[in-house]
């Protein structure tokens, strides 16, 4: 699957997803965020988690972002390691508790909820 948020090597073991992604230095977002001090916007980290979940669960749509913590900047060229633990939550939603790391260092924590449906 090709997306705006490409993730690679998506694997699932016991409802735990893992994937990799690269903060592509050629992405035009780095030119404007911020000039002279390029960092990846935090929204991109959420989208990489979302792409990881959708790569395995397909037709789900994010309906709630319950928690987000950005713990350190992500720079052009950094390789991201994404880990997402999935579980059923109240009301039949799919809960996703995820972390994003760069070289083993925690850069973000994300909690999302998904409902069935949505694009492929």
């Amino acid at each position: 699957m090709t997306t705006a948020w490409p993730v690679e090597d998506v694997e699932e073991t016991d409802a735990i997803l893992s994937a990799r992604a690269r903060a592509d230095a050629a992405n035009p977002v780095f030119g404007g965020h911020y000039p002279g001090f390029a960092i990846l916007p935090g929204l991109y980290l959420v989208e990489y988690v979302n792409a990881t979940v959708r790569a395995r669960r397909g037709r789900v749509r994010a309906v709630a972002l319950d928690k987000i913590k950005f713990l350190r900047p992500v720079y052009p060229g950094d390789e991201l390691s994404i880990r997402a633990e999935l579980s059923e939550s109240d009301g039949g939603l799919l809960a996703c508790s995820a972390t994003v790391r760069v070289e083993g260092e925690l850069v973000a924590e994300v909690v999302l909820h998904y409902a069935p449906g949505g694009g492929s």
Side-chain angles (χ1 to χ4, degrees), residues 15-102:
I16 297 176
L17 306 178
S18 61
R20 293 181 309 110
R22 180 162 302 277
D24 184 359
N27 189 317
V29 73
F30 287 119
H33 200 269
Y34 299 94
F37 183 73
I39 61 172
L40 189 71
L43 174 62
Y44 279 54
L45 300 176
V46 176
E47 290 292 352
Y48 283 120
V49 170
N50 187 45
T52 299
V53 171
R54 290 177 55 106
R56 281 299 200 189
R57 297 304 164 115
R59 298 181 65 86
V60 293
R61 60 187 165 87
V63 294
L65 173 59
D66 286 346
K67 175 183 174 184
I68 183 78
K69 273 188 176 177
F70 301 116
L71 301 164
R72 88 150 180 77
V74 173
Y75 301 106
D78 280 350
E79 183 169 310
L80 310 172
S81 297
I82 301 146
R83 181 184 187 277
E85 185 171 345
L86 305 178
S87 62
E88 294 294 323
S89 65
D90 292 340
L93 298 178
L94 178 66
C96 167
S97 178
T99 57
V100 181
R101 296 178 184 274
V102 172

Side-chain angles (χ1 to χ4, degrees), residues 91-115:
L93 298 178
L94 178 66
C96 167
S97 178
T99 57
V100 181
R101 296 178 184 274
V102 172
E103 296 180 356
E105 187 176 348
L106 188 60
V107 298
E109 297 175 328
V110 179
V111 176
L112 292 163
H113 286 88
Y114 290 87

